[in-house]
Amino acid sequence: MPLPRSLSVTSLSGLDDWTEEFDLGDAVLFEIAWEVANKVGGIYTVIQTKARLTSEEWGENYFLVGPYMENSVRTQVELIEPTNPALKRTIDNMNSSGCKLYFGRWLIEGSPYVVLIDVGFTAWSLDRWKSELWENCGIGVPWFDREANDAVLFGFLTAWLLGEYAAQCEEPPHILAHFHEWLAGLGLVLCRQRQLPVATIFTTHATLLGRYLCAGSVDFYNNLHKFNVDKEAGDRQIYHRYCLERAAAHCAHVFTTVSHITAIEAEHLLKRKPDVVTPNGLNVKKFSASHEFQNLHAHSKARIQEFIRGHFYGHLDFNLDKSVFLFIAGRYEFSNKGADVFLEALARLNYLLRVNHSEVTVIAFFIMPARTNNFNIETLKGQAVRKQLWDTAQTVKEKFGKKLYESLLVGQLPDVSKMLDKEDFTMMKRAIFSAQRQCLPPICTHNMLDDSSDPILNCLRRIGLFNSSSDRVKVIFHPEFLSSTSPLLPMDYEEFVRGCHLGVFPSYYEPWGYTPAECTVMGIPSVSTNLSGFGCFMEEHIADPSAYGVYILDRRYRSVDESCSQLTSFLLQFCQQSRRQRIIQRNRTERLSDLLDWRYLGRYYISARHMALAKAFPESYYYEPQDPSSVSGFRYPRPASVPPSPALSRHSSPHHSDDNDDDDERYNEDLEAEKDRLNIRQPHSPQYRDKSGLPDAIPGNAMSSKLYSIRNKKC
């Protein structure tokens, strides 16, 4: 089934002068999510990175609502007294009625206000609220589902908070509540059921049923119209969760998703077509390094190389300067995240590199948290041996340097045979003997609790990648999130990504995809798919994504075997690139950063909020979206210079990186960047009319909108 073009995401405009001319008046925005000041997954990143932009728009009338998690609050939140009088009375009244609410500032960029609700403090009301939910909404929640119980408590408390705030306002308020995901969705349903004066938005970042279905062996996207959603949810014992999510989607004034592909999924599984698609952005300023990002890559790569020297001690029979570092990272969902396809492609790549006698060595990292009990002893020993060798080399170098210095002082050339004595040779021989290893380098850096049933390890056993000396592809499985305090690989995730050459994310189910987006803003090429929101977004805006370091794998219209072959081709082509070609490609990749900046993507959220206010308060607000048919978007064209892709190369086999391989390649970085900027085409300026019939020309994109505060406008 082809992907129809969404109403809302047609293109970005690259506009610096795009302005909003509207009066929010006394409108107040509450953004509600389980991941406010509570890091669980990608929604935390969405809210955290978007907070600055939203705070600038709404100022003191923007409040985030989330659960109270003591460990997170200690390090992320500054508790203060509420500054809004109505909100202060609301929190005081709820606390005096048996609730526990906290108010403070979230210590992130933008410093937004947060209201944190202790759901455990009101657990005594759970049975009563479940009964009310069944009587009023016909949704029953089983006692054993702790996550759903938390959703019930959180939903009733947020609805109570919004209702109490409306009652405490001296004048009829204009409240806008934005709910993220099913865990917060019940609050939206209750707001509509109680007819509170609240404009509501519901955003699903990934449908519950979609995630469960994709985890099974089904052709999900090509059979969306065939699923019996009630039966499928019931078979997986998530029917009550599915009902909460579907009810929130249908009750919301405005329903949004994060990508084209998720919009189609939601239309079939939740039975409502999204009103707006709101792509996820990043705070690009955080990652920007101007012209330094190439130096940062070199610095981080050197640190990864040090780790590899220790990990492969005794078997370091490959040239690290001719090695390519690949990685995959994310939740440990073996099939959904595409780890199965990546491993199969690595096995095929290993064969091709071996038969072509390539000097390139590929080292693939799997950064996926799994159940472990400690570091692998052999892995820790490797880093200790590396450090011992380094210390020995430094000691000998110091003695050698001192004797050389003394010899030069007296005006004599040194006698090399006397520079190192017998003790020095003994020390070096002991270091060499200690670096010998009888076993192969370990694949996993930790001791796995379920080694025999682990999907990645079982797949590696099947395809025969054991880090042997004959393998041109080596694998390192790091089943833990990266941390700069780790004794094994002391690097945070951002630094690690900068040091790698290519991120590989062949996901089958990826509603958006923050991992390839983060690679892009740091200037690191990546592989995504046409089933991920990020991949579809890049295909829409870039004429030739691979030329800009974004390889789009076809997992929708090809079989698994064909997708593996295509990924193998991508990886082989990347390995064939010279060092200079990779530098050129990283420059192009980094120039795509503006596409993913909240400065642009945040405008879709603005449009969704405009739409919700106009629907809920038509007597006060008037919203007129632009007709998308009149918009001509832009696409990044294929680069004018020689593309870095070796697909056009005459080499029939991989060749090593050589700085002199392509000295004849004509490339001017400044000229190339200027051409990319000039090739951003401005879309047609839409026309808006207010209720007085006067047109207003507002430059913007397909979802540019104008919101009029009717009560403050005099005709």
Side-chain angles (χ1 to χ4, degrees):
M1 182 176 60
L3 293 175
R5 199 173 184 80
S6 169
L7 168 69
S8 53
V9 179
T10 56
S11 70
L12 296 177
S13 58
L15 302 171
D16 293 326
D17 58 348
W18 188 86
T19 57
E20 286 290 341
E21 298 177 2
F22 60 86
D23 179 15
L24 285 172
D26 61 352
V28 177
L29 172 61
F30 289 89
E31 192 160 6
I32 302 155
W34 187 258
E35 296 194 34
V36 169
N38 174 37
K39 188 170 185 178
V40 178
I43 302 172
Y44 175 91
T45 305
V46 175
I47 296 170
Q48 182 195 42
T49 56
K50 185 172 60 67
R52 179 181 62 84
L53 185 74
T54 312
S55 296
E56 289 174 358
E57 180 192 0
W58 289 80
E60 298 289 305
N61 289 342
Y62 175 49
F63 304 98
L64 286 160
V65 181
Y68 176 82
M69 301 292 179
E70 187 171 355
N71 291 336
S72 298
V73 171
R74 285 177 179 175
T75 58
Q76 297 185 39
V77 178
E78 177 190 9
L79 298 178
I80 59 175
E81 284 294 315
T83 55
N84 184 304
L87 186 60
K88 186 180 189 310
R89 292 192 296 270
T90 298
I91 293 176
D92 290 342
N93 285 354
M94 290 184 67
N95 285 341
S96 63
S97 300
C99 303
K100 195 66 175 176
L101 276 68
Y102 300 84
F103 184 85
R105 281 193 181 275
W106 191 3
L107 302 179
I108 58 175
E109 194 167 358
S111 301
Y113 291 125
V114 289
V115 179
L116 302 176
I117 303 173
D118 189 343
V119 296
F121 197 81
T122 52
W124 52 272
S125 299
L126 181 61
D127 289 338
R128 175 168 59 87
W129 286 342
K130 279 187 178 181
S131 298
E132 184 179 339
L133 178 63
W134 173 254
E135 292 169 2
N136 295 332
C137 305
I139 300 175
V141 177
W143 62 271
F144 56 81
D145 189 341
R146 182 172 181 176
E147 198 170 14
N149 288 338
D150 286 342
V152 171
L153 291 169
F154 189 57
F156 271 87
L157 287 166
T158 52
W160 186 352
L161 171 70
L162 294 172
E164 185 69 25
Y165 178 81
Q168 292 297 331
C169 289
E170 297 176 355
E171 297 181 0
H174 295 89
I175 302 172
L176 174 59
H178 190 158
F179 298 82
H180 292 266
E181 282 295 311
W182 73 276
L183 278 165
L186 179 57
L188 186 154
V189 177
L190 294 172
C191 285
R192 298 306 302 277
Q193 187 262 328
R194 297 173 181 177
Q195 298 182 351
L196 298 179
V198 178
T200 57
I201 304 173
F202 180 66
T203 297
T204 179
H205 297 258
T207 67
L208 268 171
L209 188 54
R211 192 178 293 280
Y212 275 84
L213 287 169
C214 284
S217 300
V218 296
D219 186 5
F220 176 69
Y221 290 99
N222 292 318
N223 291 285
L224 273 172
H225 60 288
K226 299 179 182 178
F227 289 119
N228 183 335
V229 291
D230 294 315
K231 179 180 182 302
E232 296 291 349
D235 290 345
R236 289 159 178 77
Q237 298 184 3
I238 59 165
Y239 187 67
H240 53 290
R241 297 187 181 191
Y242 169 74
C243 289
L244 291 173
E245 182 180 39
R246 183 167 170 176
H250 281 267
C251 290
H253 289 102
V254 174
F255 175 43
T256 78
T257 61
V258 297
S259 64
H260 286 296
I261 198 74
T262 314
I264 296 170
E265 175 188 339
E267 186 176 356
H268 286 88
L269 300 186
L270 299 180
K271 307 302 180 183
R272 178 176 176 181
K273 184 177 181 179
D275 301 291
V276 183
V277 173
T278 53
N280 290 333
L282 283 165
N283 183 2
V284 172
K285 184 179 179 182
K286 171 189 173 184
F287 299 98
S288 63
S290 298
H291 299 291
E292 287 295 311
F293 78 95
Q294 295 284 6
N295 295 333
L296 291 174
H297 166 74
H299 175 74
S300 298
K301 183 178 71 172
R303 296 194 61 185
I304 296 175
Q305 287 176 336
E306 281 301 298
F307 166 77
I308 291 172
R309 289 187 178 100
H311 191 83
F312 288 93
Y313 84 91
H315 294 272
L316 200 63
D317 50 4
F318 52 91
N319 189 343
L320 277 175
D321 290 331
K322 296 179 181 178
S323 297
V324 175
F325 302 155
L326 315 180
F327 80 98
I328 182 174
R331 258 191 314 270
Y332 196 173
E333 297 177 4
F334 184 65
S335 298
N336 282 358
K337 295 298 181 183
D340 52 348
V341 174
F342 186 28
L343 284 166
E344 182 62 35
L346 287 175
R348 299 181 186 187
L349 177 66
N350 184 50
Y351 171 78
L352 292 174
L353 294 176
R354 287 173 62 180
V355 298
N356 286 285
H357 305 290
S358 172
E359 295 182 1
V360 174
T361 300
V362 173
I363 300 176
F365 290 87
F366 286 74
I367 313 296
M368 291 182 158
R371 297 179 62 209
T372 64
N373 58 17
N374 213 328
F375 292 107
N376 186 308
I377 295 298
E378 189 64 25
T379 305
L380 289 173
K381 180 183 175 183
Q383 300 307 313
V385 169
R386 178 194 61 77
K387 188 176 185 305
Q388 181 187 17
L389 289 172
W390 174 260
D391 292 341
T392 300
Q394 290 298 107
T395 301
V396 173
K397 184 180 77 170
E398 194 172 309
K399 293 175 67 176
F400 185 96
K402 185 177 180 182
K403 291 180 180 179
L404 175 62
Y405 172 66
E406 290 174 348
S407 178
L408 294 175
L409 277 178
V410 298
Q412 297 179 356
L413 289 174
D415 185 352
V416 178
S417 62
K418 297 180 180 180
M419 296 299 288
L420 297 177
D421 54 28
K422 188 176 180 180
E423 182 182 346
D424 295 329
F425 281 101
T426 301
M427 186 187 306
M428 289 189 290
K429 287 179 180 178
R430 289 179 61 184
I432 292 173
F433 290 157
S434 69
Q436 293 179 354
R437 177 187 261 172
Q438 303 302 320
C439 61
L440 291 174
I443 289 174
C444 189
T445 59
H446 292 62
N447 295 323
M448 301 289 291
L449 291 180
D450 300 314
D451 182 287
S452 60
S453 60
D454 184 79
I456 289 179
L457 296 181
N458 281 338
C459 186
L460 287 169
R461 296 181 185 113
R462 178 180 62 81
I463 61 181
L465 285 180
F466 298 120
N467 290 343
S468 64
S469 58
S470 61
D471 287 331
R472 296 270 53 82
V473 173
K474 318 286 186 181
V475 178
I476 299 176
F477 180 22
H478 191 279
E480 192 176 78
F481 284 125
L482 295 170
S483 170
S484 58
T485 60
S486 169
L488 192 63
L489 183 56
M491 302 177 72
D492 58 28
Y493 179 73
E494 179 184 337
E495 187 180 8
F496 175 80
V497 171
R498 287 192 185 276
C500 289
H501 295 96
L502 181 71
V504 184
F505 313 103
S507 305
Y508 185 74
Y509 186 78
E510 192 72 80
W512 175 244
Y514 258 125
T515 42
E518 288 168 339
C519 285
T520 300
V521 300
M522 286 188 274
I524 302 300
S526 63
V527 176
S528 189
T529 75
N530 59 354
L531 291 181
S532 74
F534 173 83
C536 294
F537 183 82
M538 285 302 184
E539 274 191 319
E540 183 179 9
H541 291 88
I542 307 173
D544 183 9
S546 62
Y548 286 90
V550 180
Y551 299 88
I552 308 298
L553 183 67
D554 185 0
R555 294 209 62 185
R556 182 173 175 84
Y557 301 110
R558 298 193 185 201
S559 66
V560 175
D561 181 68
E562 291 172 331
S563 296
C564 288
S565 297
Q566 186 185 19
L567 179 56
T568 305
S569 175
F570 286 161
L571 299 180
L572 181 60
Q573 289 175 13
F574 191 82
C575 291
Q576 288 177 316
Q577 290 184 7
S578 68
R579 179 173 175 270
R580 177 175 170 80
Q581 287 175 318
R582 290 201 298 267
I583 290 173
I584 292 172
Q585 191 177 57
R586 282 198 295 272
N587 285 333
R588 290 177 182 157
T589 302
E590 197 270 342
R591 284 202 297 275
L592 299 178
S593 297
D594 281 348
L595 276 177
L596 303 170
D597 198 336
W598 276 121
R599 288 186 302 127
Y600 301 118
L601 299 184
R603 297 167 186 176
Y604 294 110
Y605 277 88
I606 292 173
S607 294
R609 293 194 284 264
H610 293 183
M611 188 184 297
L613 283 170
K615 285 186 176 182
F617 308 110
E619 73 286 351
S620 301
Y621 296 99
Y622 174 65
Y623 166 85
E624 185 177 349
Q626 174 193 345
D627 179 8
S629 62
S630 65
V631 177
S632 174
F634 79 89
R635 292 166 66 92
Y636 274 74
R638 188 183 184 89
S641 63
V642 178
S645 173
L648 303 178
S649 172
R650 294 185 180 181
H651 292 283
S652 59
S653 61
H655 60 278
H656 64 272
S657 297
D658 189 339
D659 290 350
N660 298 321
D661 277 350
D662 48 350
D663 285 341
D664 60 337
E665 182 174 344
R666 295 187 300 275
Y667 179 79
N668 185 310
E669 170 62 25
D670 294 333
L671 180 62
E672 179 87 4
E674 183 62 26
K675 286 180 179 179
D676 282 347
R677 285 191 289 269
L678 293 175
N679 276 306
I680 299 178
R681 292 182 293 159
Q682 302 288 346
H684 179 73
S685 296
Q687 293 289 321
Y688 295 89
R689 292 183 180 273
D690 63 12
K691 289 197 171 181
S692 65
L694 299 175
D696 287 295
I698 306 294
N701 54 33
M703 278 307 295
S704 302
S705 61
K706 190 161 186 175
L707 183 70
Y708 299 96
S709 179
I710 296 174
R711 66 189 184 285
N712 293 330
K713 188 176 183 72
K714 297 181 180 180
C715 299

